Amino acid sequence: MKRAALIFGLFATACSVWAQKKDPVQWTLTSDVTAAPPGATVPLKFSATIEPGWHIYSLTIVKEVNGPNPTTASVVESAAVESSKIYQPYPLKKLDPTIDLDTEMFEDRMDLWVPVRIKSDAKGPVDIAVQARYQACDDRECLRPVTKTGNVMLTIDPAAPAVAARRGRILCRPS
């Protein structure tokens, strides 16, 4: 009886390990701004940390039959958000051995810049969310597309200092 219980326990553990989902990409949404006046444009950064050996695809690749799924990103609808844009850095362009196609991808990290314009009548604490739908692949397999969301809290206050404009070259392109 003990032997049967031991064998069942080992089998259950093996099945549990096998059934665990691979999750090689983690997303975080951050902002250096915690308070802004109504009507301000607040810069957000939506970052993917990608495990070694894995990659995700660019926002700007064209979806092809039997090709990879492009990453998509958007600001979740909010009563406080008037408009937004999504910018990505220039991706790597290389052969993806999993699908045997030249494509645009990101390895290690992907930082999306998301300027969000706040409505002029917004006030108080607001939760701003950005979501990404992406497909992760390594040299042997591609996982099913996944959607993940990041959130940041922002206080809309007419007394808050104006948000400083970002200066310098933008090494990104809009999606």
Side-chain angles (χ1 to χ4, degrees):
M1 186 70 150
K2 287 183 181 179
R3 185 174 181 180
L6 177 65
I7 291 172
F8 177 76
L10 289 173
F11 178 74
T13 301
C15 288
S16 174
V17 169
W18 180 77
Q20 287 179 350
K21 289 185 177 180
K22 293 179 184 177
D23 193 12
V25 183
Q26 301 306 314
W27 290 85
T28 56
L29 181 64
T30 59
S31 178
D32 292 337
V33 176
T34 57
T41 298
V42 177
L44 306 178
K45 185 166 98 172
F46 196 34
S47 301
T49 303
I50 306 164
E51 288 181 9
W54 290 88
H55 59 269
I56 61 177
Y57 299 99
S58 164
L59 297 169
T60 53
I61 63 170
V62 176
K63 176 71 174 131
E64 298 179 26
V65 176
N66 297 325
N69 288 293
T71 298
T72 60
S74 62
V75 174
V76 176
E77 190 172 326
S78 165
V81 174
E82 182 176 305
S83 64
S84 64
K85 293 184 180 183
I86 307 281
Y87 295 92
Q88 75 171 3
Y90 289 106
L92 296 169
K93 293 181 181 181
K94 61 189 253 185
L95 177 69
D96 184 336
T98 311
I99 57 174
D100 198 32
L101 288 173
D102 283 320
T103 191
E104 297 178 351
M105 66 178 72
F106 290 90
E107 299 171 335
D108 302 318
R109 187 166 190 85
M110 175 188 204
D111 293 321
L112 301 177
W113 294 99
V114 187
V116 174
R117 180 141 180 96
I118 304 300
K119 289 183 179 178
S120 60
D121 61 350
K123 60 184 173 183
V126 296
D127 180 32
I128 299 176
V130 178
Q131 66 181 27
R133 187 174 193 317
Y134 64 94
Q135 181 175 30
C137 298
D138 66 7
D139 289 347
R140 296 176 308 280
E141 66 179 321
C142 287
L143 304 177
R144 288 184 173 182
V146 176
T147 301
K148 290 191 181 171
T149 304
N151 296 69
V152 69
M153 288 299 295
L154 182 65
T155 301
I156 309 302
D157 180 357
V163 178
R166 199 175 157 92
R167 296 184 184 266
R169 281 188 1 193
I170 295 177
L171 300 176
C172 302
R173 65 180 180 192
S175 63

